[in-house]
Amino acid sequence: MSPSLRRALVIVATAPLAATMLAAPSAVAADPAAAQRSATELDRAERKMANNLDIRVRDRRLGGRVSGVVIDAKSDRTIWGHHARTALMPASNVKLATAVAALTVLGPDHRFTTKVVHGHGTLTLVGGGDHTLTTGELEALAKDAVAGLKRAGVSSVRVRVDARLFPRPTRATGWKRGYYPGEVTPVRALAVAGHAVMDTSLDAGQVFARLLARRGVTVTGGVNRGAAGARDITVGQHRSAKLPRIVQRMLKVSDNDIAESLLRMTALGAGRPATFEGGTAAVRTVLSGTYGVSLANFRMYDGSGLSRATRIPARTLAEILDLTVDPRHTRTLRHVVDGLPVAGQAGSTLGPEWGRFDTAASRCAVGKVRAKTGTLTGAIALSGVTKAQDGRWRVFSFVENGSPASASATKDALDGLAATVNGCWS
Protein backbone atom coordinates (compact mmCIF):
# COMPACT_ATOMS: atom_id res chain seq x y z
CA MET A 1 0.00 0.00 0.00
CA SER A 2 1.49 3.34 -1.04
CA PRO A 3 2.21 5.98 1.64
CA SER A 4 0.06 8.47 -0.29
CA LEU A 5 -2.90 6.10 -0.04
CA ARG A 6 -2.36 5.65 3.68
CA ARG A 7 -2.28 9.42 4.16
CA ALA A 8 -5.36 9.93 2.03
CA LEU A 9 -7.64 7.53 3.85
CA VAL A 10 -8.00 9.70 6.93
CA ILE A 11 -9.72 8.14 9.90
CA VAL A 12 -12.76 10.11 10.95
CA ALA A 13 -14.26 9.10 14.30
CA THR A 14 -18.04 8.92 14.05
CA ALA A 15 -20.44 6.61 15.87
CA PRO A 16 -21.95 3.85 13.68
CA LEU A 17 -25.61 4.52 13.09
CA ALA A 18 -28.95 2.96 12.31
CA ALA A 19 -30.33 0.51 9.84
CA THR A 20 -32.00 0.94 6.49
CA MET A 21 -35.31 -0.37 5.16
CA LEU A 22 -34.86 -3.88 3.82
CA ALA A 23 -36.79 -5.93 1.32
CA ALA A 24 -37.51 -9.61 1.28
CA PRO A 25 -34.51 -11.80 0.31
CA SER A 26 -33.48 -11.66 -3.34
CA ALA A 27 -35.17 -14.20 -5.56
CA VAL A 28 -31.74 -15.18 -6.89
CA ALA A 29 -29.36 -16.93 -4.50
CA ALA A 30 -25.90 -15.55 -3.75
CA ASP A 31 -22.82 -16.95 -5.50
CA PRO A 32 -22.45 -20.70 -4.84
CA ALA A 33 -18.78 -20.24 -3.92
CA ALA A 34 -19.69 -17.61 -1.37
CA ALA A 35 -22.57 -19.73 -0.03
CA GLN A 36 -20.22 -22.68 0.50
CA ARG A 37 -17.60 -20.59 2.27
CA SER A 38 -16.56 -22.14 5.56
CA ALA A 39 -17.08 -19.84 8.51
CA THR A 40 -13.66 -20.86 9.81
CA GLU A 41 -12.01 -19.10 6.84
CA LEU A 42 -13.08 -15.71 8.19
CA ASP A 43 -12.23 -14.11 11.48
CA ARG A 44 -14.90 -12.61 13.71
CA ALA A 45 -14.76 -9.12 12.16
CA GLU A 46 -14.89 -10.53 8.64
CA ARG A 47 -17.86 -12.75 9.45
CA LYS A 48 -19.71 -9.77 10.89
CA MET A 49 -18.97 -7.71 7.78
CA ALA A 50 -20.04 -10.53 5.47
CA ASN A 51 -23.24 -11.15 7.40
CA ASN A 52 -24.11 -7.46 7.36
CA LEU A 53 -23.46 -7.30 3.61
CA ASP A 54 -25.65 -10.37 3.04
CA ILE A 55 -28.50 -8.46 4.69
CA ARG A 56 -27.84 -4.99 3.32
CA VAL A 57 -27.35 -6.02 -0.30
CA ARG A 58 -31.09 -6.87 -0.27
CA ASP A 59 -32.00 -3.25 0.42
CA ARG A 60 -35.03 -2.30 -1.71
CA ARG A 61 -33.13 0.71 -3.02
CA LEU A 62 -30.69 -1.61 -4.81
CA GLY A 63 -33.29 -3.66 -6.63
CA GLY A 64 -32.75 -7.31 -7.52
CA ARG A 65 -29.76 -7.11 -9.89
CA VAL A 66 -26.59 -6.50 -7.88
CA SER A 67 -23.08 -7.82 -8.42
CA GLY A 68 -20.75 -7.36 -5.46
CA VAL A 69 -17.51 -8.58 -3.93
CA VAL A 70 -15.03 -7.75 -1.15
CA ILE A 71 -11.39 -8.87 -1.32
CA ASP A 72 -8.64 -8.73 1.28
CA ALA A 73 -5.93 -6.65 -0.42
CA LYS A 74 -2.96 -8.45 1.17
CA SER A 75 -4.01 -12.07 0.83
CA ASP A 76 -6.42 -11.70 -2.14
CA ARG A 77 -8.95 -13.80 -0.20
CA THR A 78 -12.57 -13.26 -1.14
CA ILE A 79 -14.34 -12.21 2.05
CA TRP A 80 -17.80 -11.79 0.54
CA GLY A 81 -19.49 -12.17 -2.80
CA HIS A 82 -22.96 -11.73 -4.25
CA HIS A 83 -23.38 -12.65 -7.92
CA ALA A 84 -19.80 -11.44 -8.18
CA ARG A 85 -19.26 -12.91 -11.66
CA THR A 86 -22.54 -11.65 -13.09
CA ALA A 87 -21.77 -9.11 -15.80
CA LEU A 88 -23.71 -5.86 -15.45
CA MET A 89 -23.50 -2.38 -16.96
CA PRO A 90 -20.72 -0.74 -14.88
CA ALA A 91 -21.00 2.88 -16.09
CA SER A 92 -17.88 4.94 -15.30
CA ASN A 93 -16.21 2.13 -13.38
CA VAL A 94 -14.88 1.26 -16.86
CA LYS A 95 -12.43 4.12 -16.35
CA LEU A 96 -10.53 1.89 -13.90
CA ALA A 97 -9.66 -0.48 -16.74
CA THR A 98 -8.78 2.43 -19.02
CA ALA A 99 -6.50 3.96 -16.40
CA VAL A 100 -4.63 0.72 -15.67
CA ALA A 101 -4.08 0.03 -19.37
CA ALA A 102 -2.92 3.58 -20.15
CA LEU A 103 -0.40 3.65 -17.31
CA THR A 104 0.89 0.19 -18.21
CA VAL A 105 1.27 0.76 -21.94
CA LEU A 106 2.32 4.42 -22.03
CA GLY A 107 4.12 4.61 -18.68
CA PRO A 108 3.98 7.19 -15.87
CA ASP A 109 6.40 9.56 -17.62
CA HIS A 110 4.32 9.88 -20.78
CA ARG A 111 3.18 13.33 -21.95
CA PHE A 112 0.95 14.34 -24.87
CA THR A 113 2.25 16.84 -27.42
CA THR A 114 0.30 19.47 -29.38
CA LYS A 115 2.26 21.22 -32.13
CA VAL A 116 2.01 24.20 -34.46
CA VAL A 117 3.86 23.89 -37.76
CA HIS A 118 4.30 26.39 -40.61
CA GLY A 119 4.68 25.85 -44.31
CA HIS A 120 3.56 27.55 -47.52
CA GLY A 121 1.78 30.37 -45.71
CA THR A 122 -0.24 28.02 -43.47
CA LEU A 123 -0.11 27.39 -39.74
CA THR A 124 -1.30 23.89 -38.85
CA LEU A 125 -2.39 23.00 -35.34
CA VAL A 126 -1.58 19.30 -34.91
CA GLY A 127 -3.51 17.33 -32.29
CA GLY A 128 -1.70 14.82 -30.13
CA GLY A 129 -4.56 13.44 -28.06
CA ASP A 130 -4.33 15.94 -25.21
CA HIS A 131 -7.84 16.58 -23.86
CA THR A 132 -6.44 18.64 -20.99
CA LEU A 133 -5.20 21.42 -23.31
CA THR A 134 -6.45 24.75 -21.93
CA THR A 135 -7.14 28.05 -23.67
CA GLY A 136 -4.17 29.51 -21.79
CA GLU A 137 -1.86 26.80 -23.13
CA LEU A 138 -3.22 27.35 -26.62
CA GLU A 139 -2.51 31.06 -26.17
CA ALA A 140 1.11 30.23 -25.31
CA LEU A 141 1.31 28.23 -28.56
CA ALA A 142 -0.10 31.21 -30.47
CA LYS A 143 2.48 33.50 -28.85
CA ASP A 144 5.35 31.24 -29.93
CA ALA A 145 3.93 30.91 -33.44
CA VAL A 146 3.51 34.68 -33.86
CA ALA A 147 7.06 35.29 -32.67
CA GLY A 148 8.35 32.94 -35.36
CA LEU A 149 6.16 34.52 -38.03
CA LYS A 150 7.37 38.02 -37.16
CA ARG A 151 10.99 36.94 -37.33
CA ALA A 152 10.26 35.66 -40.84
CA GLY A 153 8.42 38.87 -41.77
CA VAL A 154 5.07 37.10 -42.17
CA SER A 155 1.92 38.95 -41.07
CA SER A 156 -0.81 36.92 -42.81
CA VAL A 157 -1.48 33.14 -42.70
CA ARG A 158 -4.06 30.47 -43.31
CA VAL A 159 -4.97 28.17 -40.41
CA ARG A 160 -5.84 24.50 -40.53
CA VAL A 161 -6.19 21.69 -38.03
CA ASP A 162 -4.69 18.23 -38.30
CA ALA A 163 -6.52 15.73 -36.07
CA ARG A 164 -5.76 12.63 -38.16
CA LEU A 165 -4.20 10.83 -35.18
CA PHE A 166 -7.66 9.52 -34.25
CA PRO A 167 -9.59 8.00 -37.17
CA ARG A 168 -13.34 7.53 -37.34
CA PRO A 169 -15.73 6.48 -35.92
CA THR A 170 -15.95 9.28 -33.37
CA ARG A 171 -18.88 7.73 -31.46
CA ALA A 172 -18.92 4.38 -29.72
CA THR A 173 -21.32 1.47 -29.84
CA GLY A 174 -23.90 1.94 -27.11
CA TRP A 175 -23.74 5.74 -26.85
CA LYS A 176 -27.13 7.41 -26.72
CA ARG A 177 -27.59 10.38 -29.01
CA GLY A 178 -28.30 12.60 -26.02
CA TYR A 179 -24.82 11.98 -24.57
CA TYR A 180 -22.99 14.30 -26.96
CA PRO A 181 -21.68 16.89 -26.83
CA GLY A 182 -22.68 17.47 -23.19
CA GLU A 183 -21.61 14.18 -21.57
CA VAL A 184 -18.91 13.37 -24.11
CA THR A 185 -17.72 14.96 -27.34
CA PRO A 186 -17.25 12.93 -30.54
CA VAL A 187 -13.67 11.71 -30.09
CA ARG A 188 -10.97 13.68 -31.87
CA ALA A 189 -7.24 14.12 -31.28
CA LEU A 190 -7.45 17.89 -30.85
CA ALA A 191 -9.63 19.69 -28.30
CA VAL A 192 -9.74 22.56 -25.85
CA ALA A 193 -10.55 21.28 -22.36
CA GLY A 194 -14.09 22.00 -21.29
CA HIS A 195 -15.42 22.90 -24.74
CA ALA A 196 -18.54 20.79 -25.24
CA VAL A 197 -18.92 21.03 -29.02
CA MET A 198 -19.56 18.52 -31.78
CA ASP A 199 -16.24 19.17 -33.57
CA THR A 200 -13.52 19.84 -31.02
CA SER A 201 -10.74 20.03 -33.62
CA LEU A 202 -12.32 22.84 -35.64
CA ASP A 203 -13.26 24.56 -32.39
CA ALA A 204 -9.63 24.46 -31.23
CA GLY A 205 -8.52 25.86 -34.60
CA GLN A 206 -11.00 28.70 -34.32
CA VAL A 207 -9.83 29.57 -30.82
CA PHE A 208 -6.23 29.47 -32.07
CA ALA A 209 -7.07 31.75 -35.02
CA ARG A 210 -8.64 34.33 -32.71
CA LEU A 211 -5.57 34.26 -30.48
CA LEU A 212 -3.36 34.87 -33.53
CA ALA A 213 -5.54 37.80 -34.58
CA ARG A 214 -5.23 39.38 -31.14
CA ARG A 215 -1.47 39.37 -31.65
CA GLY A 216 -1.67 41.17 -34.96
CA VAL A 217 -1.57 38.27 -37.41
CA THR A 218 -4.22 38.27 -40.16
CA VAL A 219 -5.94 34.91 -40.66
CA THR A 220 -7.36 34.43 -44.15
CA GLY A 221 -9.88 31.89 -45.41
CA GLY A 222 -11.24 30.69 -42.09
CA VAL A 223 -10.14 27.47 -40.41
CA ASN A 224 -9.97 24.25 -42.42
CA ARG A 225 -8.96 20.63 -41.94
CA GLY A 226 -5.81 19.35 -43.53
CA ALA A 227 -2.61 17.40 -43.09
CA ALA A 228 0.57 19.07 -41.91
CA GLY A 229 3.22 19.10 -44.61
CA ALA A 230 6.18 16.75 -44.33
CA ARG A 231 8.56 19.74 -44.56
CA ASP A 232 6.58 22.12 -42.37
CA ILE A 233 8.64 23.76 -39.64
CA THR A 234 7.60 23.47 -35.99
CA VAL A 235 7.02 26.95 -34.57
CA GLY A 236 5.33 26.00 -31.29
CA GLN A 237 4.89 22.97 -29.09
CA HIS A 238 3.04 22.21 -25.86
CA ARG A 239 3.61 19.12 -23.73
CA SER A 240 0.94 18.08 -21.28
CA ALA A 241 1.40 17.18 -17.64
CA LYS A 242 2.66 13.66 -17.05
CA LEU A 243 0.16 10.85 -17.45
CA PRO A 244 -0.47 10.22 -13.70
CA ARG A 245 -1.88 13.73 -13.25
CA ILE A 246 -4.14 13.26 -16.25
CA VAL A 247 -5.33 9.86 -15.03
CA GLN A 248 -6.01 11.27 -11.58
CA ARG A 249 -8.07 14.12 -12.99
CA MET A 250 -10.05 11.70 -15.16
CA LEU A 251 -10.90 9.57 -12.12
CA LYS A 252 -11.57 12.36 -9.65
CA VAL A 253 -14.17 14.16 -11.76
CA SER A 254 -14.99 11.23 -14.08
CA ASP A 255 -13.98 13.11 -17.24
CA ASN A 256 -15.35 11.17 -20.22
CA ASP A 257 -13.37 13.06 -22.88
CA ILE A 258 -10.04 12.36 -21.18
CA ALA A 259 -11.01 8.70 -20.85
CA GLU A 260 -11.76 8.33 -24.55
CA SER A 261 -8.53 10.06 -25.52
CA LEU A 262 -6.54 7.81 -23.18
CA LEU A 263 -8.16 4.73 -24.72
CA ARG A 264 -7.02 5.76 -28.20
CA MET A 265 -3.53 6.74 -27.12
CA THR A 266 -3.22 3.39 -25.35
CA ALA A 267 -4.14 1.67 -28.60
CA LEU A 268 -1.40 3.56 -30.42
CA GLY A 269 1.11 2.77 -27.68
CA ALA A 270 0.24 -0.91 -28.03
CA GLY A 271 0.72 -0.83 -31.81
CA ARG A 272 -2.99 -0.96 -32.60
CA PRO A 273 -5.26 1.40 -34.58
CA ALA A 274 -6.43 4.41 -32.55
CA THR A 275 -10.06 3.31 -32.64
CA PHE A 276 -12.56 2.13 -30.03
CA GLU A 277 -11.87 -1.46 -31.11
CA GLY A 278 -8.10 -0.97 -31.01
CA GLY A 279 -8.28 0.63 -27.59
CA THR A 280 -10.53 -1.95 -25.98
CA ALA A 281 -8.42 -4.77 -27.46
CA ALA A 282 -5.33 -3.16 -25.89
CA VAL A 283 -7.12 -2.98 -22.52
CA ARG A 284 -8.05 -6.67 -22.70
CA THR A 285 -4.46 -7.63 -23.54
CA VAL A 286 -3.09 -5.63 -20.60
CA LEU A 287 -5.61 -6.97 -18.10
CA SER A 288 -5.48 -10.63 -19.09
CA GLY A 289 -2.04 -10.95 -20.69
CA THR A 290 0.03 -8.69 -18.44
CA TYR A 291 -1.77 -9.06 -15.13
CA GLY A 292 -3.80 -12.26 -15.40
CA VAL A 293 -7.18 -10.72 -14.66
CA SER A 294 -10.07 -12.99 -15.56
CA LEU A 295 -12.13 -11.50 -18.38
CA ALA A 296 -15.00 -13.98 -18.35
CA ASN A 297 -18.21 -12.15 -19.26
CA PHE A 298 -16.19 -8.97 -19.96
CA ARG A 299 -17.51 -6.77 -22.79
CA MET A 300 -16.08 -3.25 -23.19
CA TYR A 301 -16.90 -0.80 -25.99
CA ASP A 302 -15.40 2.54 -24.95
CA GLY A 303 -12.98 4.07 -22.45
CA SER A 304 -15.42 6.12 -20.40
CA GLY A 305 -18.17 3.65 -19.55
CA LEU A 306 -20.92 5.57 -21.33
CA SER A 307 -21.62 2.65 -23.64
CA ARG A 308 -24.80 0.90 -22.62
CA ALA A 309 -23.53 -2.26 -24.34
CA THR A 310 -20.62 -2.72 -21.90
CA ARG A 311 -20.90 -5.51 -19.31
CA ILE A 312 -18.33 -6.20 -16.56
CA PRO A 313 -18.73 -8.26 -13.37
CA ALA A 314 -17.95 -6.72 -9.98
CA ARG A 315 -15.34 -9.46 -9.51
CA THR A 316 -13.36 -8.18 -12.50
CA LEU A 317 -13.55 -4.57 -11.34
CA ALA A 318 -12.28 -5.59 -7.92
CA GLU A 319 -9.42 -7.57 -9.47
CA ILE A 320 -8.44 -4.49 -11.48
CA LEU A 321 -8.41 -2.36 -8.34
CA ASP A 322 -6.53 -5.05 -6.44
CA LEU A 323 -3.67 -4.64 -8.93
CA THR A 324 -3.30 -1.00 -7.99
CA VAL A 325 -2.56 -1.78 -4.33
CA ASP A 326 -0.32 -4.76 -5.08
CA PRO A 327 3.29 -3.86 -4.07
CA ARG A 328 4.54 -5.47 -7.28
CA HIS A 329 2.71 -2.90 -9.40
CA THR A 330 2.47 0.21 -7.25
CA ARG A 331 5.21 2.16 -9.05
CA THR A 332 3.04 2.20 -12.16
CA LEU A 333 -0.49 1.71 -10.88
CA ARG A 334 -0.57 3.51 -7.51
CA HIS A 335 -1.64 6.62 -9.43
CA VAL A 336 -5.03 4.99 -9.98
CA VAL A 337 -5.70 4.73 -6.24
CA ASP A 338 -4.26 8.20 -5.66
CA GLY A 339 -6.80 9.55 -8.16
CA LEU A 340 -9.87 7.89 -6.68
CA PRO A 341 -12.37 10.29 -5.10
CA VAL A 342 -12.38 10.33 -1.30
CA ALA A 343 -15.73 9.91 0.45
CA GLY A 344 -17.07 13.31 1.47
CA GLN A 345 -14.28 15.29 -0.22
CA ALA A 346 -15.57 18.30 -2.15
CA GLY A 347 -14.58 18.67 -5.79
CA SER A 348 -14.92 15.01 -6.65
CA THR A 349 -17.77 12.69 -7.59
CA LEU A 350 -17.93 11.50 -3.96
CA GLY A 351 -18.23 15.04 -2.62
CA PRO A 352 -21.08 16.49 -0.57
CA GLU A 353 -22.23 18.45 -3.62
CA TRP A 354 -23.27 15.08 -5.06
CA GLY A 355 -25.01 13.96 -1.88
CA ARG A 356 -22.52 11.19 -1.14
CA PHE A 357 -21.80 9.64 2.26
CA ASP A 358 -24.23 11.98 3.99
CA THR A 359 -26.74 9.53 5.50
CA ALA A 360 -26.87 8.09 9.01
CA ALA A 361 -25.49 4.79 7.70
CA SER A 362 -22.60 6.14 5.63
CA ARG A 363 -21.52 9.39 7.31
CA CYS A 364 -19.12 7.44 9.51
CA ALA A 365 -17.06 6.50 6.42
CA VAL A 366 -16.29 10.07 5.35
CA GLY A 367 -12.55 10.28 4.69
CA LYS A 368 -12.12 6.53 5.03
CA VAL A 369 -13.14 5.30 1.57
CA ARG A 370 -11.60 5.92 -1.85
CA ALA A 371 -13.80 4.79 -4.72
CA LYS A 372 -14.74 5.27 -8.36
CA THR A 373 -18.34 6.17 -8.96
CA GLY A 374 -20.45 5.22 -11.94
CA THR A 375 -23.86 6.48 -12.96
CA LEU A 376 -26.03 5.89 -16.01
CA THR A 377 -29.78 5.63 -16.30
CA GLY A 378 -30.48 2.21 -14.84
CA ALA A 379 -26.92 1.54 -13.69
CA ILE A 380 -25.00 2.71 -10.62
CA ALA A 381 -21.64 1.39 -9.40
CA LEU A 382 -19.09 2.01 -6.67
CA SER A 383 -15.69 0.29 -6.58
CA GLY A 384 -12.84 1.21 -4.27
CA VAL A 385 -10.63 0.56 -1.27
CA THR A 386 -10.90 1.14 2.47
CA LYS A 387 -9.00 0.26 5.62
CA ALA A 388 -11.35 -1.83 7.75
CA GLN A 389 -11.66 -1.68 11.51
CA ASP A 390 -9.25 -4.62 11.86
CA GLY A 391 -6.53 -2.53 10.18
CA ARG A 392 -6.53 -4.50 6.94
CA TRP A 393 -7.11 -3.00 3.50
CA ARG A 394 -10.14 -4.19 1.58
CA VAL A 395 -10.97 -3.88 -2.10
CA PHE A 396 -14.67 -3.79 -2.97
CA SER A 397 -16.93 -3.44 -5.97
CA PHE A 398 -20.71 -3.05 -6.10
CA VAL A 399 -22.67 -2.73 -9.36
CA GLU A 400 -26.45 -2.51 -9.60
CA ASN A 401 -28.69 -2.37 -12.65
CA GLY A 402 -32.37 -1.59 -12.94
CA SER A 403 -33.23 -0.43 -9.45
CA PRO A 404 -36.74 1.05 -9.22
CA ALA A 405 -35.50 3.58 -6.65
CA SER A 406 -34.22 7.05 -7.48
CA ALA A 407 -30.53 7.41 -8.36
CA SER A 408 -29.85 9.34 -5.15
CA ALA A 409 -31.51 6.65 -3.02
CA THR A 410 -29.54 3.91 -4.77
CA LYS A 411 -26.28 5.78 -4.27
CA ASP A 412 -27.08 6.14 -0.57
CA ALA A 413 -27.53 2.36 -0.35
CA LEU A 414 -24.19 1.74 -2.11
CA ASP A 415 -22.46 4.22 0.21
CA GLY A 416 -23.87 2.18 3.08
CA LEU A 417 -22.32 -0.99 1.65
CA ALA A 418 -18.94 0.75 1.46
CA ALA A 419 -19.33 1.90 5.07
CA THR A 420 -20.07 -1.73 5.97
CA VAL A 421 -16.81 -2.84 4.34
CA ASN A 422 -14.98 -0.19 6.33
CA GLY A 423 -16.71 -1.53 9.42
CA CYS A 424 -17.80 1.83 10.78
CA TRP A 425 -21.44 0.89 10.12
CA SER A 426 -21.50 -2.33 12.05
Side-chain angles (χ1 to χ4, degrees):
M1 185 62 57
S2 68
S4 56
L5 175 57
R6 294 180 185 275
R7 289 194 299 270
L9 299 179
V10 181
I11 302 300
V12 178
T14 306
L17 298 167
T20 188
M21 184 178 294
L22 302 178
S26 171
V28 185
D31 291 333
Q36 296 169 9
R37 181 182 61 231
S38 169
T40 59
E41 295 177 7
L42 303 179
D43 63 28
R44 182 177 179 181
E46 291 171 334
R47 286 198 300 273
K48 185 174 184 180
M49 178 210 302
N51 289 337
N52 283 338
L53 287 171
D54 280 339
I55 296 168
R56 292 166 184 170
V57 77
R58 298 185 178 99
D59 189 316
R60 287 195 184 107
R61 295 171 296 177
L62 294 174
R65 298 180 65 207
V66 182
S67 177
V69 70
V70 179
I71 298 172
D72 180 83
K74 185 175 181 179
S75 67
D76 293 336
R77 288 183 304 115
T78 299
I79 297 172
W80 176 85
H82 181 84
H83 311 306
R85 299 188 186 278
T86 298
L88 297 176
M89 187 167 27
S92 282
N93 276 208
V94 167
K95 293 182 176 74
L96 295 170
T98 302
V100 165
L103 285 163
T104 301
V105 171
L106 301 174
D109 293 327
H110 188 84
R111 299 175 187 264
F112 303 108
T113 301
T114 305
K115 295 192 302 182
V116 181
V117 299
H118 179 257
H120 304 289
T122 299
L123 282 179
T124 305
L125 186 61
V126 184
D130 181 9
H131 273 251
T132 66
L133 182 71
T134 66
T135 301
E137 290 162 347
L138 201 54
E139 185 172 15
L141 277 173
K143 180 180 178 181
D144 290 343
V146 169
L149 293 175
K150 288 183 176 179
R151 285 194 296 270
V154 176
S155 59
S156 177
V157 293
R158 295 181 296 276
V159 172
R160 67 185 169 198
V161 292
D162 185 344
R164 295 174 300 154
L165 189 65
F166 294 172
R168 294 184 177 185
T170 61
R171 307 171 197 178
T173 297
W175 281 7
K176 293 173 66 175
R177 186 172 297 276
Y179 288 166
Y180 39 85
E183 294 295 328
V184 66
T185 58
V187 185
R188 293 181 171 86
L190 178 62
V192 180
H195 284 208
V197 296
M198 290 299 290
D199 193 323
T200 59
S201 55
L202 279 180
D203 172 71
Q206 290 160 358
V207 172
F208 183 65
R210 290 195 295 270
L211 293 170
L212 292 174
R214 289 180 190 174
R215 293 184 173 275
V217 173
T218 300
V219 176
T220 62
V223 176
N224 301 291
R225 293 185 181 85
R231 297 185 179 182
D232 286 1
I233 298 170
T234 299
V235 294
Q237 179 173 285
H238 171 74
R239 299 184 73 208
S240 72
K242 288 186 178 181
L243 183 58
R245 280 184 56 188
I246 295 174
V247 165
Q248 289 164 15
R249 172 164 179 77
M250 173 190 72
L251 295 172
K252 184 176 182 181
V253 301
S254 205
D255 191 301
N256 296 317
D257 292 318
I258 292 177
E260 297 305 341
S261 181
L262 288 183
L263 184 74
R264 303 235 179 172
M265 295 304 290
T266 300
L268 286 174
R272 296 178 180 272
T275 59
F276 292 108
E277 291 80 6
T280 54
V283 171
R284 292 179 65 92
T285 297
V286 168
L287 293 180
S288 62
T290 304
Y291 297 118
V293 173
S294 171
L295 296 184
N297 305 319
F298 180 99
R299 303 204 308 270
M300 177 179 174
Y301 293 92
D302 65 8
S304 62
L306 285 174
S307 174
R308 302 187 65 82
T310 292
R311 296 292 184 274
I312 302 178
R315 177 77 204 187
T316 304
L317 293 168
E319 287 184 14
I320 292 169
L321 266 175
D322 197 34
L323 295 171
T324 70
V325 294
D326 187 324
R328 295 172 296 176
H329 310 309
T330 50
R331 181 187 175 278
T332 299
L333 300 184
R334 66 180 175 84
H335 308 290
V336 175
V337 179
D338 290 345
L340 292 177
V342 178
Q345 185 180 81
S348 76
T349 56
L350 280 186
E353 63 269 39
W354 295 100
R356 302 308 296 260
F357 288 85
D358 62 356
T359 67
S362 63
R363 210 172 282 127
C364 65
V366 166
K368 301 177 186 178
V369 170
R370 276 185 176 268
K372 181 70 195 77
T373 58
T375 305
L376 289 174
T377 301
I380 298 179
L382 187 68
S383 300
V385 296
T386 186
K387 189 175 184 179
Q389 301 299 296
D390 60 8
R392 299 176 68 89
W393 293 99
R394 313 291 194 220
V395 178
F396 64 85
S397 179
F398 306 110
V399 184
E400 75 77 28
N401 283 185
S403 169
S406 68
S408 61
T410 303
K411 290 174 185 177
D412 286 344
L414 289 179
D415 292 350
L417 295 183
T420 303
V421 177
N422 174 262
C424 68
W425 184 27
S426 59

